[in-house]
Amino acid sequence: MRCAMEHGFGPSCWFRGASADDLGGGDLTAQHVRWFDTTLRAGAADMPPVRVFLMGSNRWIELDEFPPRDTRTLELYLNAGGTLATEPAENGERRLISDPASPVPTCGGAVLLFAPFEAGAADQAAIEARQDVVSWRTEPLTEELTVMGAVRAVVHLTTTGTDADVVVRLCDEHPDGSSRVVTDGVQQGSARSVDPVTGLGDRRPLEPGREQEFAVDLWSTAHTFLPGHRVRVDIAPSSSPRWDVGRNAFEPAGATPRPTAAEYTIRHGTARPSRLVLQVVTTTPR
């Protein structure tokens, strides 16, 4: 028996019901005791194996497993004009300058940081207005879209440096234009062959001007995009202080190269299908 709880955070209407006080069936300690009785003492399985807070629709749901059995993969492709669609379109590119001297600041998310970097579903409007952040978004949704499970991105990129950090952020754009972070992740180019769990693997410099494929893990989430909302993805070269600011220069063991600005070119389209990969449910649990 497994027990999974995804807690909300921050002062947002998305998370009014995310408190452990709203779980039902006793307080959080009582829930823990019941789970340990079932797991360690072979007690009666009188509670659901998985309970998840579903952001967006602001409620707890009970599941037999996570992600649910009826999930399917939805790929949303980065296309020209900043559009995000289910099919890749003509080839294109977007450029940004990564400057370690002026990193993109962290704004909300699943963080445990000092003030003023608070956790939660913060509006990304000020971040998305920066010249070093590029965005894509779907058309307004006509029906609910519930994402449950792993989220990842594939980004085709070239850089003028010998290393690069790619930050990808999944956001929920509301009808009023605000854009709330759902989940995010980062991948350092030189560490693409390094296992993120064991740390095994070799770090290698990037070749300037040569296209590289970055697979970015955005972890997992449970979120419903409501009708009228848009799925939005932002790509940036940093998120400080959530992650260390990269130097855009390969750092061999024992060396500390000088930070340098670099130009990133993100390519997309049928030949270079940069995309967001979501696990979505065919029927939203009630």
Side-chain angles (χ1 to χ4, degrees), residues 21 52 95 113 129-130 139 142 144-145 163 173 202 231 246 279:
D21 296 334
V52 177
R95 297 185 180 186
L113 295 171
R130 290 176 57 107
E139 293 296 321
T142 58
E144 288 187 357
L145 177 68
D163 207 348
E173 183 178 318
D202 295 329
V231 180
Q279 300 304 310

Side-chain angles (χ1 to χ4, degrees), residues 70-272:
D70 67 341
T71 56
R72 64 179 179 87
T73 298
L74 173 64
E75 295 186 321
L76 296 176
Y77 293 87
L78 281 55
N79 286 332
T83 60
L84 199 59
T86 55
E87 296 291 337
E90 67 276 8
N91 297 327
E93 61 185 39
R94 302 275 295 276
R95 297 185 180 186
L96 61 87
I97 298 297
S98 168
D99 185 358
S102 179
V104 179
T106 299
C107 182
V111 299
L112 267 169
L113 295 171
F114 47 84
F117 302 100
E118 296 183 353
D123 187 1
Q124 303 297 299
I127 302 298
E128 292 166 347
R130 290 176 57 107
Q131 295 299 308
D132 51 0
V133 178
V134 289
S135 304
W136 289 260
R137 61 182 187 163
T138 64
E139 293 296 321
L141 300 176
T142 58
E143 57 186 21
E144 288 187 357
L145 177 68
T146 296
V147 179
M148 278 196 189
V151 179
R152 63 186 180 91
V154 178
V155 180
H156 292 260
L157 179 143
T158 63
T159 177
T160 57
T162 54
D163 207 348
D165 290 338
V166 176
V167 174
V168 180
R169 186 175 296 108
L170 171 64
C171 297
D172 183 332
E173 183 178 318
H174 292 217
D176 64 4
S178 62
S179 177
R180 306 283 175 171
V181 58
V182 176
T183 188
D184 59 4
V186 64
Q187 179 61 56
Q188 184 179 38
S190 61
R192 289 177 306 138
S193 299
V194 176
D195 187 288
V197 177
T198 65
L200 298 176
D202 295 329
R203 295 177 61 252
R204 302 185 183 92
L206 302 183
E207 180 181 331
R210 180 178 180 182
E211 184 178 310
Q212 309 286 341
E213 183 180 279
F214 285 69
V216 186
D217 183 2
L218 280 68
W219 293 44
S220 295
T221 195
H223 181 85
T224 295
F225 293 85
L226 299 174
H229 291 224
R230 301 174 190 252
V231 180
R232 184 176 183 127
V233 60
D234 300 336
I235 297 180
S238 51
S239 179
S240 176
R242 177 155 168 69
W243 292 296
D244 291 340
V245 178
R247 298 173 179 268
N248 291 319
F250 180 66
E251 301 181 43
T256 305
R258 185 187 184 96
T260 182
E263 183 180 69
Y264 292 5
T265 301
I266 301 165
R267 294 197 165 95
H268 52 76
T270 53
R272 302 173 180 89

